[in-house]
Amino acid sequence: MSRSGTKRPLSPSTRASDVPSVKIHPPSGATSVSGIIQQIKLKNFMCHDQLEWHPNKNVNFVTGPNGSGKSSILQGLVLGLMGESKHTKRYSRLQDFIQKGHSRAVVEVTLKNEGEDAYKSELYGASITFQRTIDDNGQNNVFLKDHMQNVVKKAKDAREEGKRILENFRINTDNPVAILQQEEAKEFLKVESPENLYSFFHRATLLKQCHDQYSVARRDLEKTREIVETKKSQLVNLKKQLVDMYEKVKELNKFKERDLEEECLLKELVWALIKESRAEQEDITDKILEKETASENPRKKLEQLHQLLVQLISQRTQLVDEAEQERGQFAREEKEIHELKDETERLTLLHKKVRSEIKGYESMKETLQEEIQILEEHMKQFTSSQVSDKMTKERQMKLNKLEVRRTAINECIEKMGTERDATESEQEDNYEELKKSENERKDSQKRKEHLESELAEIVQLEDQKMAVFDRLAPRVAEEISSAVKKKLFRMRPLGPVGSYIKLSAEAATNPDLARLLETELGANQMKAYVCNDEHDRKVLQGIFGRVYEQQKKPVIFTSKFLSKKHNVNKVEPYTTVLDHLKIIGSEEEATVIFNHLVDQKCIESIVVCKNQDEAKQICTFHQTSPKNLKYAITHDFYRFFPPTTSTSYRSYYIEPMNSQMLVSTMCNMREEKKTELERTRLIMQKIIDSHVKLIQTKTDLKRRCDDITSGMAVVRKELSEINSEKSKLKAEDDSDITVEIVTDDLDNKRDKFEQLSELHNGKLVERDNVATNFKEKMTVLKKKYQFVVKLREVLSPFEREISRTDDQISLRKKEISNQEKLLKRFKAEVNQLKRELMEQKRKEEEFLNKAKQKSWTEVEPSGTALQLNAKIRRIRETKRANKLYADKEKLLDEFKELKDDYALQMRKVTKIEEHVSMMVGMNTARIANYMFIRKAISSIVERRFQMFTESFSSDLGTQILININHRRRELNFVFRNADGDLLDTEISSLSGGEKSFAQMSLIAALWEVMSPPFRALDEWDVFLDAMNRKNISSKLLEIGLARLDYQFLFISPQGASDITCAPSDRNKVGIFNIMKNC
């Protein structure tokens, strides 16, 4: 709810309630100083919901009943101009000023910023607004706004700028002359104590502030004097130490003769060393010339060897090309030989099969021949005498038994044949399973050995993080560091790329998301390395060749190492792969890896969705697809491509990665490898057990097959005996057989024999054909062999020549290596000699510089350097025997250091004393200025007070004056009669109105001395009756209208009906009536 208030003109005939609230604008020709109040806004401040007041630029009366919030305006003014809560004399905490039921209060005070005292008018314009917000948690903020209400400064900057602005406008919210708060006004109007009145005068004229500053200056001066005395005391002790040290130094002068002798010997020693150094330089120069001459022959021979090596390599290349042509033809012939071998093997197997069938036909023919012979014998014996019936029956019974036995044997043979075929089939299956088992065993063995090797390396590299990405990565890192030390790289390569990537907190705690991100980046990308240029890539490729040898090597990406990250456009507002990754390492490394991932994988354009429905929403239609989207991936491993102008959206399943390198540690990898190794061992043990069983099965099958074969041989022999015996019995038993039966049986046997003969002959023809074809193939194969042998004979000279050339090349390379080693040795020796020569020159230069520094002219040494050095050593030992001289250098250094310290401290004390003298002069000048200012201000206030109280004195019949006694720190009201005689009258003897008038006159006098742009009085008429109130209000109005360049604010609960002024001054006076709504 807005706070109600009205402005009304001064005409007594017009009621305040009949006139709407309007802003009274001053005339265009009026002028006022900078800093007057143009507007006050209060929101949720104390009892005000919303209050906005535009005071008149000259005189303002604020009226309203008690509790309506009049004083709150002044308290808001103090706080709005960055005053402390204690200056309001109301609350000690800022949050107590917030209206109940609200969490924030806002105070805005707008000050005029025009005229000569304007502050940065080009920045703020015609006005400056202070805005202060107060929160219920005790926090408060300050903002400075220009005339367009744009924020110019805020927070700390606004507070510092605000202090400068208030200082420029001469506004001090703590000065009671500028703002006299309600409680302070009541206390002031009740005060009769001269000491309290003097204290009020002291504060109002800012003399107290000057006095406090001068007191601080006096304390600083006393502290400085104490420091000077302490320094002087220290100087006395320091001088005593210096004198003692000087006495010791004087004793050292006794060794001057020894020092002079030593100096002469040192001079001779230096020139002796220079002479020896020059002689040594001549010897070294001769040796260098000798070595360089000796190296000419090896250098020429090396050039000849290089030329010969080039010729041999060219010759070998030509031989290899010719040999390759021959080898091409040789390879074709060998291919045909292999085909012929396969064909001959097939014919051999076919020949064996045909021979087996021929043997079967021959066995059947033999059986039929025997039967035919028996039948022919029957025909011959057909006319013989008949056998008795008894014998016939016995033969018939034997025949029946033999037939039964023969049938059983045939069945047994057939059964054993079937069993043998089944066993042979099982043997073939067992052979295949054995081969498969042996291959599996070998593969498992290799796998086990490989895992054991990897586990051993992981255990060794357990503390190395890069081994998570590649077990050989630590070795690569060592090689790179070594190459960097040798300055082989222009810029150090970075890798593996995965070692610079860390998952976000969400991805690290979500295994599916972590696996998805690793799958998207790819194992090859995680293990890859990044180089700055082609030169560095070649160096890194050489390191990979040494470390990985024949194993698969990581990918190398070549990309310029930029100093700034790419300016990427993310897919807003969706989460991308980039949001789930943190690039670690130094700032330069992180920049390179970031740019690499952006270039290679477009991580800023790949959206990560939780499910397929979410991916479909952004990828189904071209119109709804976000800008910069490449594709979307889901947690269940699907990739969705947005539609294009020619295709609709597409989705594919992503095969997840098995390993999780970004969330793995060496400990995890070790455990995984152990688990995998244990699983491989179990599988291998199962394979071995199965292999052993297959071998046992093979043995059992072979034994069973052998048993069946031997059993079949025994049974066939028995069957042959039965057939023979049966034929004999049939031959004897012809009683029931007629000639016709025997003849028919004989004809059938002969027909069957002829059929078998035809089949046998057909197989013989087939065998002959196979044999002929075999011979033809063998003949072709033999010719091919002979041709290949000839090709080999043709190729052998090439190979021998290539081998001989290789030997020559190897020999020449060895000779070149020997010559290079010889030249290298010569070069090393020459370099060593040159270093020695440079060292001798350096020594000569050093000795010459030393002689030059000492001003030692060249002399002829009296001995060698060794002899002179011995003499110097004896002199020094003699001097060293003296304890005082032994510490000569230390003593002289201490003396010099002590002397310098004494001089330094003397300078410091002198400088401080000068500073003290300057401070004393400044304080004296300050006190004199202070006394002058205090006297001037006191005189002005006394005169102004007398002027303001002239009419009051004439009415009272007694002249009232003020007397300011600075020595006793009292402000007294003095009464004199018309003759000027002093009266024994106390201020307490006056009425309340008279006392209030006197004190208002004192305030008005103080206003004349101080010049704040606005002056505010609260509850100034609290102890006045109607008559005195009217007189004092008229006087206040007169004072305000007399100073149109300043602004006056008078707050009273008594109303403004008795305030009158001339019609020409009505626009200079404003009345703001506040209604009580709280």
Side-chain angles (χ1 to χ4, degrees):
M1 182 178 74
S2 298
R3 187 73 173 150
S4 60
T6 61
K7 284 187 177 179
R8 60 185 178 84
L10 295 178
S11 174
S13 61
T14 307
R15 295 179 58 85
S17 59
D18 299 330
V19 180
S21 175
V22 295
K23 179 177 178 181
I24 303 175
H25 296 280
S28 59
T31 60
S32 57
V33 297
S34 299
I36 66 170
I37 304 167
Q38 292 184 338
Q39 177 180 270
I40 296 177
K41 283 185 179 181
L42 302 177
K43 181 179 180 180
N44 302 327
F45 184 83
M46 298 186 71
C47 64
H48 295 288
D49 291 337
Q50 190 83 29
L51 183 138
E52 181 175 347
W53 180 35
H54 298 269
N56 191 290
K57 70 173 183 174
N58 296 128
V59 181
N60 294 272
F61 288 91
V62 180
T63 65
N66 291 330
S68 60
K70 303 183 299 301
S71 300
S72 301
I73 295 176
L74 283 191
Q75 289 153 5
L77 176 63
V78 171
L79 296 179
L81 295 178
M82 304 191 307
E84 298 180 12
S85 57
K86 63 182 181 181
H87 295 162
T88 64
K89 306 298 187 291
R90 177 65 69 93
Y91 299 125
S92 59
R93 300 190 312 161
L94 283 174
Q95 54 265 43
D96 293 337
F97 289 94
I98 302 174
Q99 190 180 37
K100 291 183 179 180
H102 296 277
S103 61
R104 169 178 287 187
V106 182
V107 178
E108 285 190 10
V109 178
T110 301
L111 303 179
K112 177 184 176 183
N113 190 38
E114 293 178 312
E116 294 180 357
D117 294 334
Y119 183 84
K120 296 182 182 179
S121 57
E122 72 282 357
L123 177 63
Y124 290 97
S127 64
I128 300 175
T129 299
F130 287 73
Q131 177 181 312
R132 190 171 187 179
T133 60
I134 304 171
D135 295 326
D136 56 2
N137 59 3
Q139 297 292 325
N140 69 96
N141 290 307
V142 177
F143 302 90
L144 293 179
K145 300 180 179 179
D146 60 11
H147 69 292
M148 298 297 293
Q149 294 300 304
N150 297 318
V151 175
V152 179
K153 301 283 185 181
K154 57 184 179 181
K156 184 179 178 181
D157 294 338
R159 293 179 187 275
E160 294 175 354
E161 180 84 345
K163 290 178 181 177
R164 292 190 289 270
I165 294 172
L166 295 177
E167 184 178 353
N168 181 73
F169 291 159
R170 302 178 304 281
I171 297 174
N172 185 358
T173 57
D174 191 29
N175 190 341
V177 170
I179 301 175
L180 187 64
Q181 297 284 353
Q182 176 182 352
E183 299 300 323
E184 197 170 12
K186 290 178 180 179
E187 291 296 324
F188 175 71
L189 294 174
K190 291 190 297 182
V191 164
E192 298 176 2
S193 167
E195 291 81 5
N196 292 338
L197 288 173
Y198 182 84
S199 176
F200 180 83
F201 162 79
H202 213 221
R203 284 194 303 120
T205 56
L206 299 181
L207 290 173
K208 184 178 184 302
Q209 182 177 346
C210 294
H211 184 271
D212 293 342
Q213 292 175 355
Y214 294 162
S215 299
V216 172
R218 281 198 301 273
R219 287 196 296 271
D220 292 343
L221 179 59
E222 292 302 322
K223 289 181 181 178
T224 307
R225 283 174 173 164
E226 291 176 2
I227 292 172
V228 169
E229 293 302 321
T230 303
K231 291 286 184 182
K232 285 182 177 180
S233 176
Q234 293 174 353
L235 270 178
V236 172
N237 296 330
L238 197 61
K239 186 176 181 180
K240 185 178 180 180
Q241 295 177 15
L242 185 62
V243 171
D244 293 341
M245 190 72 69
Y246 179 70
E247 294 298 327
K248 293 179 181 179
V249 171
K250 281 169 51 175
E251 293 182 14
L252 294 175
N253 293 331
K254 300 176 182 179
F255 294 93
K256 281 187 177 180
E257 293 181 3
R258 288 288 185 181
D259 291 340
L260 290 172
E261 184 182 357
E262 181 182 352
E263 186 174 359
C264 291
L265 290 173
L266 283 171
K267 180 178 179 181
E268 292 181 13
L269 176 62
V270 167
W271 285 107
L273 290 169
I274 292 171
K275 186 177 179 181
E276 290 179 2
S277 177
R278 288 171 177 171
E280 186 68 22
Q281 290 177 41
E282 292 176 1
D283 292 341
I284 293 173
T285 303
D286 294 339
K287 289 181 181 179
I288 290 174
L289 291 174
E290 182 182 347
K291 293 291 182 183
E292 288 178 346
T293 304
S295 65
E296 286 300 322
N297 289 334
R299 187 174 289 107
K300 291 179 181 178
K301 188 174 181 180
L302 182 63
E303 291 176 358
Q304 294 173 358
L305 287 172
H306 274 297
Q307 292 175 359
L308 183 57
L309 180 63
V310 170
Q311 294 174 1
L312 289 172
I313 291 174
S314 176
Q315 181 180 347
R316 184 186 182 281
T317 303
Q318 184 177 357
L319 289 170
V320 168
D321 292 340
E322 294 177 0
E324 286 299 326
Q325 293 178 359
E326 297 296 335
R327 283 195 186 96
Q329 188 174 0
F330 175 74
R332 289 193 299 273
E333 296 298 330
E334 280 200 334
K335 181 179 179 182
E336 293 180 3
I337 287 174
H338 284 304
E339 292 175 353
L340 287 171
K341 278 186 178 180
D342 294 339
E343 183 64 21
T344 53
E345 288 177 359
R346 186 186 67 78
L347 292 173
T348 301
L349 292 175
L350 181 59
H351 189 264
K352 288 181 179 179
K353 180 181 178 182
V354 172
R355 285 175 58 191
S356 175
E357 291 178 352
I358 289 172
K359 286 183 180 179
Y361 286 138
E362 288 177 347
S363 175
M364 292 173 69
K365 284 175 68 178
E366 288 177 357
T367 302
L368 285 174
Q369 279 183 340
E370 290 177 357
E371 291 179 354
I372 289 171
Q373 288 177 0
I374 292 171
L375 289 174
E376 286 177 347
E377 289 179 358
H378 283 180
M379 289 295 295
K380 291 178 181 178
Q381 297 176 0
F382 196 80
T383 58
S384 301
S385 58
Q386 300 293 321
V387 187
S388 62
D389 295 339
K390 184 177 180 180
M391 292 294 292
T392 302
K393 289 181 180 179
E394 289 178 356
R395 282 197 297 273
Q396 188 63 38
M397 289 179 63
K398 287 182 178 180
L399 283 171
N400 293 336
K401 289 180 179 179
L402 289 174
E403 184 64 26
V404 172
R405 180 61 182 162
R406 179 176 177 276
T407 303
I409 290 173
N410 283 330
E411 290 177 355
C412 182
I413 290 172
E414 185 177 355
K415 183 179 179 182
M416 292 175 74
T418 304
E419 187 176 354
R420 182 192 62 188
D421 293 340
T423 303
E424 289 177 349
S425 177
E426 288 181 11
Q427 281 182 314
E428 291 177 0
D429 294 340
N430 176 260
Y431 175 73
E432 294 297 329
E433 289 180 2
L434 273 173
K435 283 174 62 178
K436 181 179 178 183
S437 177
E438 180 64 18
N439 292 333
E440 290 178 353
R441 187 189 66 77
K442 289 180 179 178
D443 293 340
S444 298
Q445 180 67 25
K446 289 180 181 178
R447 177 64 177 165
K448 182 176 78 69
E449 292 173 355
H450 180 68
L451 288 173
E452 289 174 346
S453 173
E454 287 186 345
L455 180 60
E457 289 188 7
I458 288 173
V459 171
Q460 292 177 356
L461 302 172
E462 193 160 351
D463 294 333
Q464 303 189 34
K465 182 178 181 295
M466 286 190 293
V468 171
F469 302 93
D470 190 340
R471 61 188 180 85
L472 295 178
R475 283 185 57 193
V476 173
E478 292 176 1
E479 291 284 342
I480 290 175
S481 299
S482 177
V484 170
K485 290 179 181 178
K486 296 177 183 178
K487 298 182 179 179
L488 299 179
F489 288 111
R490 294 173 181 168
M491 293 189 73
R492 183 188 182 108
L494 301 181
V497 171
S499 64
Y500 294 91
I501 300 174
K502 184 179 180 182
L503 295 176
S504 65
E506 180 185 356
T509 56
N510 188 340
D512 291 338
L513 179 57
R515 194 176 181 191
L516 175 66
L517 294 173
E518 288 194 35
T519 302
E520 181 58 34
L521 292 177
N524 290 337
Q525 192 64 249
M526 307 285 282
K527 298 177 181 179
Y529 287 75
V530 184
C531 288
N532 180 58
D533 53 28
E534 185 64 20
H535 170 269
D536 291 351
R537 188 196 68 78
K538 290 180 180 179
V539 176
L540 183 59
Q541 191 67 44
I543 291 174
F544 284 174
R546 292 193 299 274
V547 174
Y548 289 90
E549 296 178 351
Q550 302 300 322
Q551 302 180 49
K552 183 180 179 181
K553 302 172 181 62
V555 180
I556 301 176
F557 292 93
T558 304
S559 178
K560 188 72 176 175
F561 286 7
L562 302 178
S563 59
K564 294 183 179 179
K565 292 184 179 180
H566 291 334
N567 184 18
V568 297
N569 295 319
K570 293 173 58 179
V571 185
E572 299 292 349
Y574 300 97
T575 303
T576 63
V577 173
L578 175 60
D579 297 324
H580 288 296
L581 301 181
K582 293 182 179 179
I583 312 299
I584 59 177
S586 66
E587 185 177 354
E588 294 79 7
E589 293 171 343
T591 299
V592 172
I593 298 300
F594 175 85
N595 292 341
H596 168 71
L597 292 176
V598 169
D599 293 338
Q600 296 294 326
K601 302 300 293 184
C602 299
I603 56 176
E604 82 285 2
S605 301
I606 303 173
V607 174
V608 181
C609 300
K610 292 184 178 180
N611 50 54
Q612 296 186 42
D613 291 338
E614 185 178 340
K616 287 178 182 178
Q617 288 179 359
I618 63 175
C619 293
T620 303
F621 299 104
H622 183 72
Q623 295 81 1
T624 59
S625 295
K627 190 178 180 182
N628 302 321
L629 173 66
K630 185 178 181 182
Y631 54 80
I633 54 177
T634 63
H635 285 203
D636 54 351
F637 297 93
Y638 275 88
R639 182 179 288 126
F640 285 77
F641 288 89
T644 63
T645 54
S646 58
T647 61
S648 59
Y649 89 93
R650 297 157 292 156
S651 63
Y652 303 96
Y653 179 70
I654 313 170
E655 190 64 34
M657 279 178 58
N658 292 326
S659 63
Q660 294 190 1
M661 291 180 281
L662 291 181
V663 295
S664 294
T665 61
M666 291 303 296
C667 184
N668 293 342
M669 289 187 65
R670 182 189 62 195
E671 295 302 322
E672 289 175 2
K673 289 295 178 185
K674 281 185 177 179
T675 304
E676 189 174 358
L677 179 60
E678 189 63 29
R679 187 165 57 248
T680 304
R681 284 173 176 166
L682 291 174
I683 293 172
M684 184 176 175
Q685 187 60 44
K686 289 180 180 179
I687 292 172
I688 292 173
D689 294 342
S690 175
H691 191 73
V692 170
K693 289 180 181 179
L694 288 172
I695 292 175
Q696 184 64 39
T697 302
K698 177 183 177 183
T699 305
D700 295 343
L701 289 172
K702 188 175 183 305
R703 185 175 60 252
R704 193 197 312 170
C705 190
D706 293 341
D707 292 343
I708 291 171
T709 303
S710 60
M712 288 182 70
V714 171
V715 172
R716 279 199 176 99
K717 184 177 180 183
E718 185 179 356
L719 179 62
S720 178
E721 292 175 352
I722 289 172
N723 286 334
S724 178
E725 186 176 356
K726 185 178 176 182
S727 298
K728 290 180 181 179
L729 288 173
K730 282 185 177 181
E732 294 176 358
D733 187 18
D734 55 355
S735 58
D736 295 333
I737 300 174
T738 61
V739 177
E740 290 80 7
I741 294 173
V742 173
T743 303
D744 292 338
D745 194 10
L746 182 59
D747 292 337
N748 291 333
K749 295 292 183 183
R750 285 174 178 169
D751 293 337
K752 193 173 181 180
F753 182 79
E754 288 177 358
Q755 292 175 359
L756 285 173
S757 296
E758 290 178 0
L759 291 173
H760 180 251
N761 292 332
K763 288 297 178 181
L764 289 174
V765 171
E766 185 178 356
R767 182 193 65 185
D768 294 340
N769 292 335
V770 170
T772 302
N773 196 4
F774 179 77
K775 288 178 181 180
E776 291 175 354
K777 295 294 182 181
M778 287 302 294
T779 302
V780 175
L781 183 61
K782 185 176 180 181
K783 290 180 180 179
K784 290 290 182 183
Y785 272 125
Q786 291 173 353
F787 184 69
V788 168
V789 169
K790 289 180 180 179
L791 286 176
R792 285 178 179 171
E793 290 175 354
V794 172
L795 189 60
S796 294
F798 288 107
E799 293 178 345
R800 286 194 297 272
E801 187 64 24
I802 290 171
S803 177
R804 187 184 67 79
T805 305
D806 287 338
D807 294 339
Q808 291 291 324
I809 290 173
S810 178
L811 181 61
R812 297 296 173 264
K813 285 183 177 180
K814 189 177 293 184
E815 290 178 358
I816 288 171
S817 177
N818 292 335
Q819 293 300 318
E820 287 177 342
K821 288 178 181 177
L822 182 60
L823 283 173
K824 188 175 181 181
R825 181 166 60 81
F826 277 128
K827 186 176 180 181
E829 291 174 354
V830 170
N831 289 336
Q832 180 62 30
L833 289 170
K834 286 181 178 179
R835 284 193 292 271
E836 293 176 2
L837 180 62
M838 292 298 294
E839 180 64 20
Q840 291 299 328
K841 288 182 178 180
R842 187 191 63 77
K843 288 181 179 180
E844 180 188 359
E845 187 69 24
E846 182 181 345
F847 295 142
L848 286 171
N849 289 333
K850 188 173 182 180
K852 186 177 180 181
Q853 291 172 2
K854 299 288 186 178
S855 300
W856 288 342
T857 56
E858 186 172 358
V859 295
E860 185 64 29
S862 59
T864 63
L866 190 61
Q867 294 169 343
L868 293 169
N869 196 30
K871 291 179 182 180
I872 294 170
R873 191 163 55 250
R874 284 195 297 271
I875 292 173
R876 288 178 176 174
E877 287 174 357
T878 303
K879 292 191 294 185
R880 205 177 293 117
N882 186 289
K883 185 177 181 181
L884 185 62
Y885 193 86
D887 297 330
K888 175 185 175 182
E889 298 297 330
K890 182 179 179 183
L891 184 64
L892 291 174
D893 291 341
E894 289 178 354
F895 177 72
K896 184 178 182 301
E897 183 179 349
L898 192 60
K899 185 179 178 181
D900 294 341
D901 189 25
Y902 180 77
L904 177 63
Q905 295 301 326
M906 278 292 293
R907 289 194 298 272
K908 286 184 177 179
V909 169
T910 303
K911 190 173 182 179
I912 294 174
E913 286 179 337
E914 291 175 356
H915 184 66
V916 168
S917 300
M918 183 183 69
M919 290 178 68
V920 169
M922 290 174 62
N923 280 358
T924 303
R926 285 174 177 172
I927 292 172
N929 291 335
Y930 174 75
M931 299 298 289
F932 174 78
I933 293 171
R934 187 177 68 177
K935 183 177 180 181
I937 290 175
S938 301
S939 299
I940 294 171
V941 170
E942 289 175 351
R943 289 197 305 272
R944 290 293 180 182
F945 180 82
Q946 184 178 356
M947 290 173 58
F948 287 131
T949 57
E950 282 182 356
S951 60
F952 175 70
S953 298
S954 60
D955 296 338
L956 187 63
T958 302
Q959 187 178 8
I960 182 169
L961 307 172
I962 59 172
N963 179 27
I964 303 172
N965 190 329
H966 297 290
R967 184 177 299 277
R968 296 173 59 184
R969 302 182 65 80
E970 293 181 354
L971 190 151
N972 292 291
F973 289 97
V974 179
F975 298 89
R976 295 182 185 273
N977 58 23
D979 297 329
D981 297 329
L982 186 66
L983 300 177
D984 187 13
T985 306
E986 298 291 338
I987 188 70
S988 58
S989 63
L990 300 179
S991 65
E994 293 170 342
K995 285 192 290 187
S996 296
F997 187 87
Q999 288 162 340
M1000 286 297 110
S1001 298
L1002 176 60
I1003 291 175
L1006 291 172
W1007 280 347
E1008 293 298 317
V1009 176
M1010 308 306 295
S1011 57
F1014 58 83
R1015 299 96 190 271
L1017 290 180
D1018 190 7
E1019 300 286 354
W1020 54 274
D1021 55 352
V1022 66
F1023 299 121
L1024 298 178
D1025 55 17
M1027 180 62 68
N1028 286 316
R1029 181 183 181 281
K1030 181 176 181 179
N1031 293 333
I1032 293 177
S1033 62
S1034 299
K1035 189 64 177 178
L1036 291 175
L1037 180 60
E1038 179 185 345
I1039 293 170
L1041 293 175
R1043 297 299 303 271
L1044 295 178
D1045 49 346
Y1046 293 102
Q1047 189 177 43
F1048 296 86
L1049 308 176
F1050 304 117
I1051 298 176
S1052 170
Q1054 304 297 330
S1057 59
D1058 55 352
I1059 297 173
T1060 59
C1061 65
S1064 60
D1065 293 330
R1066 287 181 180 177
N1067 61 345
K1068 301 184 182 71
V1069 181
I1071 298 177
F1072 186 58
N1073 187 24
I1074 301 177
M1075 304 300 180
K1076 185 174 181 181
N1077 292 325
C1078 55

